[in-house]
Amino acid sequence: RAAAISDATDSLQTVAEQAVSVLHEIANDPGVVPNVRVSAASKILDTAIKAHELQDVLTRLETLETELA
C-alpha cells in the first residue's frame, strides 16, 4: 500500500509540473484573452504562496522536533 501511495504522489508531482507549465504558457500568451491570462497568473501565485507556507510550516515542525528530541 505504501508503494502505491508513493507512486501516486510521484505521478501527481509530474502532473503538477506540467500543469504549472500550461498555466505559465497561458499567462504569457498575448493571444489569450486578458482575463484568462490574469486568472492563470493568479493561480500560479496562489499555488506558490501555499507551497511557501507549507515549506515554512514543515521547517518549523522539523526545528521543534529537533529541539524536543
Side-chain angles (χ1 to χ4, degrees), residues 12-32:
L12 285 172
Q13 287 175 339
T14 299
V15 173
E17 290 173 12
Q18 294 169 352
V20 170
S21 293
V22 168
L23 288 170
H24 183 263
E25 288 175 23
I26 292 168
N28 289 292
D29 184 346
V32 173

